[in-house]
Amino acid sequence: GAVVSQHPSRVICKSGTSVKIECRSLDFQATTMFWYRQFPKQSLMLMATSNEGSKATYEQGVEKDKFLINHASLTLSTLTVTSAHPEDSSFYICSASLPGQGKTEAFFGQGTRLTVV
Amino acid sequence: GDSVTQMEGPVTLSEEAFLTINCTYTATGYPSLFWYVQYPGEGLQLLLKATKADDKGSNKGFEATYRKETTSFHLEKGSVQVSDSAVYFCALSDGGGSARQLTFGSGTQLTVLP
């Protein structure tokens, strides 16, 4: 099956610094990737849709300048949490689908546990 | 809007016990329903799915039936194994089943003891 790799799996950073999370499709090309966030004991919430070669589409309430998304190639999307604060501490997870009509199964990365201290 | 309500965990069972994880949903229209599983240190994997009412999804001994009348998609397994220990997510898609439209439940941590 298709593999999506996410890195790092855990990161601790100081308030005010920026953190970059990478999401790679290892054995397929993904024109679209998705970023989710999960608070403790809550659902995964879609943050944004990452489109290769164009701007990301953000969900309502998600700050574009806070969560910078870059999808510069068909196998890599990055999420940068800028000027991180403790309230940004969360579990972030990406997903991608195989290209082509009818290929709707989502493949997920391992997730990144971000802790801002 | 769409929502998924999932049985809260954690759930701890002995090996060979019967498992049920409840999942109910609210959606406009006719969603597709999914169960995803996340093993320790790994990403979410699709466990099973059902795309219309009365469909039964099954995989690895797990089953779930799409019940439109009760808006439910409960996950069951007759005899769990230690290797089934993981977090299970119920999810719905409000059209087409694309990843864009997935709405997740909060997840249920399952621990199976030998």
Side-chain angles (χ1 to χ4, degrees):
Chain A
V3 178
V4 175
S5 177
Q6 192 171 336
H7 178 80
S9 58
R10 292 180 180 272
V11 58
I12 301 173
C13 70
K14 293 184 177 180
S15 285
T17 61
S18 295
V19 173
K20 181 185 285 188
I21 302 169
E22 294 186 346
C23 179
R24 294 181 184 273
S25 55
L26 296 187
D27 50 3
F28 68 101
Q29 294 182 331
T31 54
T32 304
M33 293 184 177
F34 307 94
W35 288 95
Y36 292 82
R37 178 176 181 178
Q38 184 182 32
F39 293 98
K41 298 187 179 181
Q42 294 188 30
S43 298
L44 278 74
M45 303 297 295
L46 181 66
M47 297 175 64
T49 302
S50 172
N51 303 298
E52 188 269 335
S54 64
K55 291 183 179 180
T57 304
Y58 289 82
E59 296 299 302
Q60 191 173 10
V62 178
E63 299 176 58
K64 301 178 184 180
D65 296 331
K66 177 74 172 173
F67 300 100
L68 298 179
I69 292 173
N70 186 296
H71 195 153
S73 78
L74 287 171
T75 59
L76 174 64
S77 175
T78 60
L79 168 67
T80 301
V81 183
T82 62
S83 186
H85 289 94
E87 57 265 31
D88 298 325
S89 298
S90 193
F91 185 71
Y92 296 87
I93 192 164
C94 67
S95 76
S97 296
L98 288 169
Q101 201 166 11
K103 303 284 180 61
T104 56
E105 180 181 340
F107 298 93
F108 286 84
Q110 303 92 322
T112 298
R113 175 73 60 191
L114 170 63
T115 303
V116 184
V117 297
Chain B
D2 297 345
S3 67
V4 176
T5 301
Q6 191 174 334
M7 173 177 160
E8 285 198 23
V11 174
T12 302
L13 296 173
S14 297
E15 206 165 23
E16 299 183 3
F18 184 85
L19 169 71
T20 299
I21 301 178
N22 290 338
C23 172
T24 57
Y25 67 91
T26 302
T28 55
Y30 303 94
S32 296
L33 303 173
F34 306 84
W35 277 99
Y36 281 86
V37 58
Q38 185 174 32
Y39 298 103
E42 299 183 19
L44 271 69
Q45 302 173 26
L46 179 65
L47 180 60
L48 53 85
K49 68 178 180 182
T51 57
K52 62 182 187 297
D54 299 325
D55 270 1
K56 177 186 284 187
S58 61
N59 185 26
K60 300 181 180 179
F62 291 90
E63 292 183 340
T65 301
Y66 189 143
R67 300 287 187 199
K68 192 169 186 293
E69 63 275 15
T70 55
T71 61
S72 65
F73 193 55
H74 304 320
L75 182 68
E76 296 182 336
K77 186 172 185 180
S79 176
V80 293
Q81 305 299 313
V82 172
S83 56
D84 294 327
S85 297
V87 181
Y88 292 81
F89 292 91
C90 185
L92 72 81
S93 169
D94 62 4
S98 73
R100 159 67 176 88
Q101 296 154 315
L102 282 171
T103 300
F104 285 91
S106 56
T108 302
Q109 172 78 55
L110 170 66
T111 301
V112 181
L113 303 176

